[in-house]
């Protein structure tokens, strides 16, 4: 595995992100891709659960808020679709394996292959190098970024969705399962943008509201020229600070950009917001990263 130096950790604290090429082997990446193929092949999607996923605020509220399928996915393996892949009856217009946008949010707990990767000794060692004392895994996702239709992800901070007090306790591990390029939708970051807090939160609404979640505050307009692209090859890991601003563009290429990503929270002296969409459940309290 790529040995992480103190210099790299300083760079992470400075930039809010860190690229670690070849952190995972090609075999490890392929084992995750093979496993997800099996999961998709067995996927049964009840029509009322065919939730299209979007990051545009109103669509997000409508799609996620119209059903608790999203809100109750924290301890399950559930499916979210690209726009335009289902007809109004909820039938697939294209092959189902090409229609999935992401699968979440408990692969790390419910699936043996993803569990093993999440708790692998190299991930645990990296956590220790970063000084994490009581890290717990809060969520995981497999993101497909389908060729030609993999939607853009607008500029955002992960802490908008995963809020803690104090801030600065959430960390994303983003693993490229195939090369991520500018053509197929690699991540873009604003270096150093993790130091001024957050301006927007997605919170649960009181029961009986028309949507399950709402946004409080607003996302500022970011200057496009401040973003830098981070292409990374298969097996690479990008560490993402919970408050760093990042985005990805539409995948207009003919190749997919599969990713497995999970978020970790330093649980020591931290409170997880009761207003977050994602909540630990009796069935799945947030598991410790160190096993």
């Amino acid at each position: 595995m790529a040995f992480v130096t103190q210099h790299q950790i300083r760079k992470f604290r400075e930039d809010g992100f860190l690229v670690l090429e070849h952190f995972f082997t090609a075999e490890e990446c392929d084992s995750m891709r093979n496993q997800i193929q099996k999961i998709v092949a067995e996927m049964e999607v009840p029509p009322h659960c065919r939730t299209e996923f979007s990051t545009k605020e109103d669509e997000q509220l409508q799609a996620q808020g119209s059903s608790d399928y999203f809100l109750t996915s924290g301890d399950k393996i559930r499916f979210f679709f690209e726009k335009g892949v289902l007809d109004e009856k909820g039938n697939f217009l294209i092959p189902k394996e090409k229609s999935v946008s992401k699968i979440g949010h408990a692969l790390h707990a419910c699936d043996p292959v993803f569990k093993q990767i999440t708790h692998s000794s190299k991930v645990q060692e990296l956590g220790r190098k970063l000084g994490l004392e009581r890290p717990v895994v809060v969520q995981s996702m497999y993101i497909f970024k389908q060729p030609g239709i993999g939607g853009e992800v607008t500029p955002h901070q992960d802490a908008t969705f995963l809020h803690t007090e104090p801030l600065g306790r959430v960390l994303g591990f983003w693993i490229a399962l195939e090369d991520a390029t500018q053509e197929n939708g690699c991540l873009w970051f604003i270096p150093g943008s993790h130091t001024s807090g957050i301006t927007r939160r997605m919170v649960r609404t009181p029961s009986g509201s028309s949507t399950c979640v709402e946004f409080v505050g607003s996302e500022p307009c970011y200057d496009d020229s401040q973003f830098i692209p981070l292409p990374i090859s298969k097996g690479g890991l990008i560490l993402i600070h919970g408050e760093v601003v990042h985005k990805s563009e539409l995948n207009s290429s003919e190749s997919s950009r599969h990713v497995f990503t999970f978020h970790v929270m330093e649980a020591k002296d931290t409170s997880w917001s009761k207003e977050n969409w994602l909540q630990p459940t009796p069935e799945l309290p947030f598991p410790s990263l160190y096993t």
Side-chain angles (χ1 to χ4, degrees):
M1 113 176 207
F3 183 70
V4 184
T5 63
Q6 283 308 304
H7 170 72
Q8 285 174 307
I9 288 171
R10 276 200 304 276
K11 190 100 181 87
F12 171 68
R13 309 244 184 263
E14 207 173 287
D15 291 337
F17 58 84
L18 179 64
V19 175
L20 297 170
E21 286 280 11
H22 309 298
F23 192 85
F24 289 95
T25 64
E27 292 72 34
E28 287 170 316
C29 293
D30 294 342
S31 73
M32 289 187 265
R33 292 198 60 184
N34 293 336
Q35 189 67 356
I36 216 75
Q37 268 185 316
K38 290 181 194 146
I39 290 172
V40 170
E42 291 164 15
M43 160 175 89
E44 288 287 325
V45 192
H48 71 279
C49 294
R50 289 184 173 178
T51 313
E52 289 190 351
F53 179 74
S54 168
T55 50
K56 295 274 198 314
E57 204 161 299
D58 48 340
E59 293 174 10
Q60 197 171 30
L61 291 177
Q62 179 205 339
Q64 293 171 356
S66 61
S67 120
D68 66 358
Y69 185 71
F70 169 77
L71 277 192
T72 56
S73 64
D75 58 358
K76 302 177 191 70
I77 294 177
R78 288 201 164 156
F79 305 93
F80 303 90
F81 300 98
E82 288 293 355
K83 285 193 293 209
V85 300
L86 298 163
D87 65 18
E88 59 281 6
K89 296 193 182 70
N91 299 313
F92 291 108
L93 296 166
I94 60 174
K96 67 178 184 178
E97 64 278 4
K98 293 256 193 296
S99 65
V100 188
S101 160
K102 61 177 203 170
I103 296 179
H105 287 90
L107 287 161
H108 63 280
C110 301
D111 181 89
V113 172
F114 291 98
K115 186 175 192 172
Q116 193 182 348
I117 291 285
T118 304
H119 295 278
S120 59
S121 55
K122 37 194 170 188
V123 168
Q124 296 191 27
E125 188 189 332
L126 180 53
R128 293 197 169 92
K129 288 255 173 65
L130 289 160
L132 300 176
E133 291 184 54
R134 282 209 295 123
V136 295
V137 186
V138 298
Q139 70 156 1
S140 56
M141 284 186 289
Y142 191 104
I143 304 170
F144 293 80
K145 202 74 159 176
Q146 301 281 8
I149 59 167
E152 66 168 336
V153 176
T154 52
H156 67 284
Q157 298 164 291
D158 292 344
T160 285
F161 306 94
L162 309 172
H163 191 268
T164 59
E165 284 172 19
L167 281 171
R169 299 302 172 89
V170 168
L171 183 61
F173 290 70
W174 192 95
I175 305 157
L177 304 185
E178 38 192 354
D179 295 351
T181 63
Q182 285 197 44
E183 291 67 46
N184 74 1
C186 71
L187 294 181
W188 294 67
F189 287 82
I190 300 181
S193 57
H194 59 304
T195 55
S196 24
I198 58 170
T199 57
R200 186 173 76 129
R201 286 183 59 187
M202 186 171 94
V203 299
R204 288 177 169 244
T205 53
S207 63
S209 310
S210 58
T211 58
C212 300
V213 289
E214 65 182 352
F215 285 94
V216 178
S218 59
E219 202 65 67
C221 280
Y222 296 107
D223 174 359
D224 265 353
S225 68
Q226 291 187 298
F227 284 91
I228 61 162
L230 290 192
I232 188 167
S233 49
K234 176 176 175 171
L237 170 72
I238 301 179
L239 274 182
I240 304 175
H241 186 286
E243 281 96 83
V244 74
V245 177
H246 57 292
K247 66 173 183 176
S248 67
E249 306 289 346
L250 172 79
N251 180 2
S252 51
S253 80
E254 287 170 23
S255 55
S256 55
R257 190 221 67 188
H258 287 207
V259 164
F260 177 56
T261 177
F262 57 91
H263 283 89
V264 163
M265 171 180 73
E266 169 62 273
K268 184 173 187 260
D269 304 328
T270 308
S271 65
W272 179 256
S273 172
K274 292 268 184 284
E275 294 184 307
N276 285 339
W277 74 266
L278 174 79
Q279 293 296 327
T281 62
E283 295 74 37
L284 182 62
F286 294 151
S288 168
L289 180 68
Y290 301 150
T291 44

